[in-house]
Amino acid sequence: MAEIIQKDGTWVFDGDALRLTPGRDKNVSLFRKTLGELVLPLGALAGVSFEQGKKAGRLRLRLRDGADPLLHATGGRLTEPHDPYQLIVESDRYGVAEYFVDEVRNALLLDEVPADPVDAYLVPGPSVPLSVAAGDATASFDGERVRLEWNWKTEDAKAAAGARSLALTDIAAVEWHPAAGLENGHLRFTVRNAPTKAPPKYDPNAVELWGFKKDPLMALIAAAVQARLPHPAAPVAAAEPQEDPVVQDHDALLRRLRELGELHRTGVLTDEEFTMAKQAVLKRM
């Protein structure tokens, strides 16, 4: 087992999985503290590295593409203080960090873990129910529905329709983007059969973010939803061949003829009624 304990957090590797626990230091971001402990199976890793600096070094984990719904939903845009796959290492623990890297790399070699992309999530998303207030809304997710409740900062045109409720089955994609420079960020849900090019400020399926402290927490909502959507690289099941509707209709009319014949034989239909009904079915055929 390899373990490294720092103010920034604690990483433990037992040969099969890595346990990443954020530290309690004041410099640890709110996002990482809220995300909490992560357990990564060895098979989710693509690599590990350690970079030395004059005052501090940095351990970095690289995950296989598609293994983590958080990385997919954020597009790798989590800035350095919020990235759960980095650990700041004090200079007097460089030797421990190098040992940690060797242990993980050896395990990857021994288990012959490929670095290829995966077609299923290997890291679970944040647990639900989950609720975050940031930007112009409060976003909540219970595993089945997303609810967006607007606040006093919401644009009137967007708030006029009231709170928004989106069923998971209606969501095609989710994206979190941080504010950068003069551009605001957003949490946006792409809804099936309802495409829009409206900016987040006016989009009723988006939360506008302005770069405040709680903005990164919206990435938790994005990750929780992404983890429950079909994996983008999952193989598409072949659709069962559909029967020709003309054939289906023809078969239904044949069944109707048999039913009419049985009703006629049992005396329910008179000769005249049977003849009229049969002619009507034959015309449809």
Side-chain angles (χ1 to χ4, degrees):
M1 186 177 80
E3 179 182 61
I4 181 166
I5 303 174
Q6 294 290 275
K7 292 179 181 179
D8 196 36
T10 299
W11 286 12
V12 179
F13 177 57
D14 64 5
D16 295 316
L18 285 85
R19 188 177 298 273
L20 315 180
T21 307
R24 297 181 179 180
D25 188 73
K26 63 180 181 179
N27 293 323
V28 177
S29 74
L30 176 63
F31 174 81
R32 286 181 55 206
K33 290 179 179 178
T34 306
L35 179 62
E37 186 176 80
L38 291 174
V39 179
L40 309 178
L42 184 64
L45 293 184
V48 58
S49 64
F50 175 59
E51 303 163 3
Q52 293 189 15
K54 292 182 178 180
K55 295 183 178 180
R58 194 175 301 274
L59 274 170
R60 297 180 187 270
L61 293 176
R62 185 166 57 88
L63 274 63
R64 297 170 67 185
D65 288 344
D68 182 18
L70 173 64
L71 293 180
H72 182 82
T74 60
R77 290 182 289 265
L78 278 172
T79 55
E80 189 173 291
H82 311 299
D83 187 348
Y85 302 123
Q86 296 187 34
L87 182 72
I88 298 174
V89 179
E90 297 168 9
S91 58
D92 62 345
R93 306 298 287 172
Y94 282 1
V96 177
E98 291 170 348
Y99 171 75
F100 188 92
V101 168
D102 288 341
E103 288 293 294
V104 175
R105 286 178 175 172
N106 289 337
L108 289 171
L109 288 172
L110 288 173
D111 283 29
E112 298 182 343
V113 176
D116 300 343
V118 295
D119 58 10
Y121 293 121
L122 303 179
V123 181
S127 58
V128 294
L130 186 62
S131 182
V132 173
D136 66 352
T138 295
S140 305
F141 180 52
D142 61 6
E144 295 181 356
R145 301 191 76 85
V146 171
R147 182 173 176 81
L148 303 177
E149 298 178 83
W150 314 116
N151 56 38
W152 64 272
K153 295 170 285 187
T154 309
E155 179 67 26
D156 291 344
K158 185 162 73 170
R164 191 84 166 135
S165 182
L166 303 173
L168 183 65
T169 52
D170 291 333
I171 297 174
V174 58
E175 176 192 55
W176 174 86
H177 201 295
L182 298 177
E183 292 191 14
N184 293 335
H186 63 260
L187 168 69
R188 190 194 295 273
F189 300 94
T190 301
V191 178
R192 301 182 195 281
N193 304 318
T196 178
K197 294 183 179 180
K201 183 177 183 178
Y202 302 103
D203 185 354
N205 299 320
V207 177
E208 186 179 31
L209 303 172
W210 299 302
F212 296 142
K213 183 178 180 181
K214 290 188 176 181
D215 283 11
L217 297 181
M218 282 294 181
L220 297 176
I221 297 285
V225 172
Q226 186 66 59
R228 291 159 179 83
L229 292 177
H231 193 284
V236 179
E240 293 185 5
Q242 299 295 315
E243 190 174 354
D244 188 330
V246 175
V247 175
Q248 291 181 345
D249 190 49
H250 187 270
D251 289 346
L253 293 174
L254 288 176
R255 288 195 298 273
R256 182 57 179 160
L257 281 176
R258 288 194 291 269
E259 291 171 358
L260 290 173
E262 183 63 26
L263 292 173
H264 181 232
R265 282 192 296 272
T266 57
V268 175
L269 294 179
T270 64
D271 291 345
E272 184 179 357
E273 290 171 335
F274 171 66
T275 300
M276 291 178 61
K278 182 176 71 171
Q279 288 177 347
V281 173
L282 291 174
K283 283 182 180 180
R284 290 183 60 188
M285 293 180 69

